[in-house]
Amino acid sequence: MSVGGLDERVEESFEEEEEEFRESFEEEELEVVPITVEEPKNTGPCILLAVTYDGSAGKALCKLYDPSNDKIYYWHDNTGHMPYCLTDLTPDQVKRHAVVVHKGFRGVYEIEKYDPIRDRVLKFSKIVASDPLSIGGRRKSIREILPKAWEDRIPYNNCYIYDARLIPGLYYMVVDGDLKLAPIEIPMDVASEILKIFNGEPSEVLDCVKDWLPLFLIPVPDIPRLAIDIEVFSTANRIPEPSKAEDPVICVSCVSSNGLKRVFMLKREGIDEGVKPKTLPEDVEIRFYDDEGEMLHEVFKLITSYPIIVTFNGDDFDLNYLRHRASNIGIKREEIPLAMGRNYVDVVPGVHIDLYKFFSNRSIQVYAFGNRYKDATLDAVATSLLGVGKITLDRLISELSYYDLAAYCFRDAEITLNLTSFNDGIVMKLIILLMRISKLSMGDVVRRGVSVWIRNMLYYEHRKRNYLIPSKEDIIAAKGVSVTRALIKGKKYMGAIVIEPKPGIYFNVTVLDFASLYPSVLYRWNLSYETINCPHEECKRNKVPELPHWICTKRRGLSSIIIGMLRNMRVYWFKPKAKDKSLDPNVRTWYSVVEQGLKVFLNASYGVMGDENFPLYCPPVAESITAIGRYIISKTIEKAKVLGVDVLYGDT
C-alpha cells in the first residue's frame, strides 16, 4: 500500500494557472473604440454574452445577442453602480485617512457583511471610487493606501455581475430601459424529477437546486459566428511581430456559420495566379485588392456584422496584428472594430473567442475531450477532433501563388470554424454552459482556466448571500495549515491511497467504483473553508478520521452545498439521461454537454482547495478530503475481507 498525491493532471493545470491567477486579480483598462452600437429601450429575449467596463461612459456595459434578428445590442448600467472595496476602518476613521484625498475617492458608508469564518455579522466601510483602476491595478491605488482591504482584487466586470445577479449565457431583455431576466420556461416535469433526487436534503440545498436548474434546462441557440485567419508577408529570417505590424497583410480568410466563404487577397507584383488546387472548395469567393487599407476596411465590415468572431491564436497574432497594422497604414481609430486589452483583443460590437486558449485549457483537454489531442496547435486539435488538419507547405507564405495562398489561409479559417460546429456545436454549447456555471463572460471563460471558473462561481455565491469574501491570509490565520506530511516530493500534504496490485492472472473480477469520490466527500462530510475547524466548541467532537481537524455541525458549508449539488445532478440525472436513447436526440446532446461541463468543474473542485494560488486556499480542507478518501477505501477493504473478497488493487 502506498500514498500518492491528487490527480497529477489537475495539479499540473493549477501550476500552469499561477501566472493567470495573478493577472485575473488585476484590474485592466480595455482600449476604447469610438463606434456607436444600438441601445434600444425595449428588446425581446437576448442572451447575455459579456459584461465589460466602458471607460468612456464610466459604466458597466452588457453585450446582448438577439436571436430573433442576429443583432448585438448594448446596455449600459443605469443603477449608479460604482467600483468599491471594503475596509474595517469606521466611516469616521476613513474620513480622517489619507485615502479621502485620492483622486478616485467618491465616498464611504457603513454596511454589514456576514463573516463565514467567524460565523457572525460584522460592520465594514464600503469605499466607492470613480473607476476600477482607482481601487486597484495602478500605483498608489486605494487598496494600497488602506491598512487592510477586502474584495479589492475582483475585476469590476465580475463585481458588477455579482451585484446585479446576472448570469452570462442566460436570456435577458430590456424593458423600458431596464435590464430584466427574460421569462423563459423550463420543462417543469424534468425539474420535478431532478428535485426528487434531493428529497430529504436541507432547505438551503433545495433552494440552491431550484436556483440552478434553469442554467441546465434552458436551451442554447446556435449563435452566428465568423472565423478569421490572416497571412502576413514574411521572409525566411523574420517572423512578423504584431505590436509593430511592419509587413503587409496579404491574405484574410473569413468563414461563417451561415455559409459565407470569402478570401480577401492583396495583389502583389511577381505573384502568379497559379492552378486552383483541390484543397480549395469550389464555392470559395476570392476578392482581389490593390490597396491593403481598402481590403482591411472590408474585413472590418464583416467583423462588425457578426455577434461572435472566432480565431485560433487571434489574441496573440491575427486580431492583434490587424489592430496595429490598420493604425500603421492610416485607418481611422473609429473604423477599427478591435480593442486591445493586456493579453487579449476584443471586438466591437460582438465578442471574440480565441480557441487556442480554450483548447490549451488542461481541464478541457483531459475531461471534456478525453485527451484526444496532445498538443494545443490548430493542426493537432483539428486533426484529432475533425479528422482534417492544416495544409502542409514546402515554401514561404509570401512565395505561394494566389490560389495556393487562398487554399492555405482558407483551410485554417475553415477548420477554426468547424471546431465550433462539429458534433452538433458541442464546443459553443459547452462554452455557454461554462459561462452559466462560472458566471463569467464568454471571453473570460475561453481565456481563463478552471481555477478561475471555480473562484468566480464561489465569489458569486458569496455575494449573493451577503457573505464577506475572505482573503487567503484570513483563511490561513483562522484555519491553519496542513498537518500531514506528503510522501511525494513537491506535495504539501498526504494524498491518495494506492493498493499495490497483486501480480497474476485473475478471472471473475468485479470492479467497485465510488462515483465522484472526492466531490462526494466534500458534500457528505460538509467540507468547506468556513466549516473546517469552526469557532464552535460543541463541534470539536466531530473529528476528521486520522486528523486533528473538526467539521462544523451547526451550518452547511458553501463549497459543500454547491459542489455536492452539482455532483448529484451529474451522477443521478445528466449522466444517465445523456445515454437514454428514448429521449429526443437534441435533448440527449444537450444533456451530454451538461454532463461534460459538470465533470470539468467537479474533477477540479477538490484540488483547488489545496492549491496555494487559489484565493480560497484552505490546506485543512484539502488534506481532510484525501484523509477521508483513505478512510473510506480502507474501511471498504476491511469489509471486503470480512466477506471473503480478495482485493487485487485499489486507489482513491
Side-chain angles (χ1 to χ4, degrees), residues 2 54 99 141 155 169 192 208 244 257 262 287 314 342 358-359 422 434 441 466 542 559 583-584 591 609 624 645:
S2 62
D54 183 348
V99 72
S141 61
S192 297
C208 195
K244 295 181 179 179
S257 57
R262 187 173 298 164
R287 294 186 178 182
R342 183 188 292 122
F358 182 72
F359 285 109
F422 82 101
L434 294 174
S441 297
N466 198 37
N542 188 33
S559 297
L583 295 177
D584 179 278
Y591 281 3
M609 305 301 176
S624 293
V645 176

Side-chain angles (χ1 to χ4, degrees), residues 587-646:
V587 173
R588 201 164 69 245
T589 297
W590 173 243
Y591 281 3
S592 179
V593 171
V594 175
E595 189 271 327
Q596 286 178 292
L598 291 177
K599 182 179 181 180
V600 170
F601 267 83
L602 292 170
N603 281 333
S605 61
Y606 58 87
V608 294
M609 305 301 176
D611 173 34
E612 61 185 358
N613 298 309
F614 190 63
L616 300 178
Y617 170 57
C618 187
V621 168
E623 69 177 346
S624 293
I625 294 170
T626 55
I628 293 169
R630 294 192 300 271
Y631 171 79
I632 289 171
I633 199 166
S634 297
K635 289 296 182 182
T636 303
I637 292 170
E638 289 178 14
K639 183 65 175 178
K641 289 179 178 178
V642 170
L643 297 173
V645 176
D646 189 18

Side-chain angles (χ1 to χ4, degrees), residues 111-124 465-469 478-479 529-530 534-536 554-555:
I111 64 168
E112 290 186 344
K113 284 273 187 179
Y114 169 72
D115 182 348
I117 293 177
R118 303 179 193 178
D119 191 22
R120 64 173 185 259
V121 175
L122 300 176
K123 291 182 178 180
F124 292 88
R465 293 163 173 77
N466 198 37
Y467 282 15
L468 174 70
I469 298 174
K479 306 299 180 176
Y529 77 84
E530 72 272 30
C534 66
H536 315 119
K554 297 172 68 69
R555 56 182 172 143

Side-chain angles (χ1 to χ4, degrees), residues 25 33 110 230 337 343 442 516 535 549 559 590 608 625:
F25 282 130
V33 181
E110 190 174 72
I230 75 168
N343 293 312
M442 182 173 282
S516 301
H549 306 311
S559 297
W590 173 243
V608 294
I625 294 170

